[in-house]
Amino acid sequence: MRILRTIAEVRAAVREARAEGRTVGLVPTMGAFHEGHLSLMRAAREQNGLVVVSLFVNPTQFAANEDLSTYPRDEARDAALAEAQGVDILFAPEPAEIYPDGFATNIHVAGITEVLDGASRGPHHFDGVATVVTKLFGVVQPDVAYFGQKDAQQVLVVRRVVRDLDLDVRIVACPIVREPDGLAMSSRNVYLDADARAQATALNRALDAADAVHRSGERDGDSIRSAAQSVLVEAGIAAEYLELRDAETLQPVTRVERDALLLVAARVGAARLIDNHLLTTTDTSEATP
């Protein structure tokens, strides 16, 4: 595996791979790798001739009061983990390489960025995500890019950028990877002390409770949300949001008639955590257990 720092180096490596007839897969990350990241790398490795992983803590998606300065960073550890998954290139640029002096362009996706994390974290957040991902697509020009479904809203934002700007890249959303107790893997889980770590498991338990109510036949949105809210209240967690939204448009859902996302964000201890479940409308009542 090569660790590259400049756009020019990455472009040269991609040109070489293209000349050899290899497809290119990209996994955009901010580092602090966990099994969720590694699952994306493995998917990219299985499906592509060249695998590029970007490691860049993107400053433009953090607000002044957020954790940019304390976000976990350990490049040597991340590099070893990426190499073990068969990654070919780790693109680890300095901020000035991505945002040179005078940088003045911003990608804004209207509508779906103004709710949920966009409302909680501010409009800068998804502008920063959309801008840096568009830059990475321009640098790497991947055939396929891999994202985790835990960041469901981010996946939808990236898909909209690709559609609206006619970018020639296929977006693959890989399943959420969880700890044995159900907590969604996140780089920010390192902020949790033992008590907060135990409390945080209520997020997935709340979503599971709502999913069970939905699978029992309930379609009323308030009833489904209430099942999740009860678990959060019992655990002493006040959610920033607990929302039932259309899985494609993020419009509010009052009755589940098509696939919907139940999404939650909450501050637990020192960490702000997010999670979600997809509530599908496929009838599985007669499926074999």
Side-chain angles (χ1 to χ4, degrees):
M1 186 184 76
R2 289 183 287 170
I3 300 176
L4 304 182
R5 306 288 181 185
T6 70
I7 290 169
E9 289 174 318
V10 173
R11 283 180 167 160
V14 170
R15 280 196 300 270
E16 180 180 344
R18 294 280 188 209
E20 296 169 352
R22 290 191 278 168
T23 58
V24 179
L26 170 66
V27 181
T29 83
M30 294 205 303
F33 295 157
H34 52 68
E35 182 58 30
H37 296 110
L38 303 186
S39 71
L40 303 182
M41 296 176 202
R42 287 194 292 271
R45 179 71 285 161
E46 290 171 3
Q47 299 171 14
N48 298 277
L50 181 78
V51 176
V52 180
V53 172
S54 63
L55 194 168
F56 180 64
V57 181
N58 178 36
T60 64
Q61 67 190 70
F62 289 79
N65 63 339
E66 292 185 322
D67 58 340
L68 175 61
S69 63
T70 59
Y71 195 84
R73 294 168 170 86
D74 189 340
E75 184 182 299
R77 172 186 173 277
D78 286 345
L81 289 171
E83 187 167 25
Q85 307 310 310
V87 170
D88 299 298
I89 293 170
L90 186 69
F91 178 37
E94 293 297 322
E97 183 71 11
I98 301 299
Y99 301 114
D101 188 44
F103 186 87
T105 298
N106 187 58
I107 304 292
H108 175 70
V109 179
I112 59 173
T113 63
E114 296 159 10
V115 298
L116 303 170
D117 261 26
S120 293
R121 300 186 66 178
H124 69 281
H125 173 64
F126 285 116
D127 288 1
V129 170
T131 302
V132 76
V133 168
T134 302
K135 286 211 66 168
L136 289 170
F137 288 172
V139 171
V140 179
Q141 296 186 335
D143 296 283
V144 192
Y146 299 82
F147 295 84
Q149 184 60 31
K150 182 176 71 71
D151 297 294
Q153 187 175 11
Q154 174 177 275
V155 172
L156 291 174
V157 170
V158 172
R159 289 191 192 280
R160 188 66 59 85
V161 170
V162 168
R163 188 198 73 177
D164 289 355
L165 300 183
D166 296 309
L167 303 181
D168 190 16
V169 55
R170 181 166 61 91
I171 304 302
V172 172
C174 295
I176 298 171
V177 177
R178 299 184 179 279
E179 301 285 358
D181 59 10
L183 180 65
M185 290 193 175
S186 168
S187 299
R188 290 185 168 96
N189 288 352
V190 298
Y191 298 157
L192 299 169
D193 62 22
D195 290 340
R197 175 66 180 73
Q199 186 184 29
T201 63
L203 296 182
N204 184 52
R205 287 190 284 110
L207 298 176
D208 277 343
D211 190 39
V213 168
H214 172 258
R215 285 187 286 106
S216 74
E218 182 62 69
R219 295 295 177 262
D220 178 69
D222 286 343
S223 298
I224 293 169
R225 286 183 66 257
S226 292
Q229 182 66 24
S230 296
V231 176
L232 295 178
V233 169
E234 184 178 356
I237 294 175
E240 277 186 22
Y241 62 74
L242 176 64
E243 299 275 354
L244 191 59
R245 298 275 176 160
D246 184 271
E248 294 182 4
T249 67
L250 290 186
Q251 289 297 305
V253 170
T254 57
R255 186 170 178 81
V256 180
E257 305 289 358
R258 52 183 281 175
D259 288 359
L261 284 164
L262 184 62
L263 307 104
V264 64
R267 184 162 290 280
V268 182
R272 180 185 184 276
L273 304 176
I274 62 173
D275 203 347
N276 68 85
H277 276 202
L278 177 66
L279 307 183
T280 66
T281 53
T282 303
D283 183 5
T284 59
S285 60
E286 298 182 3
T288 301

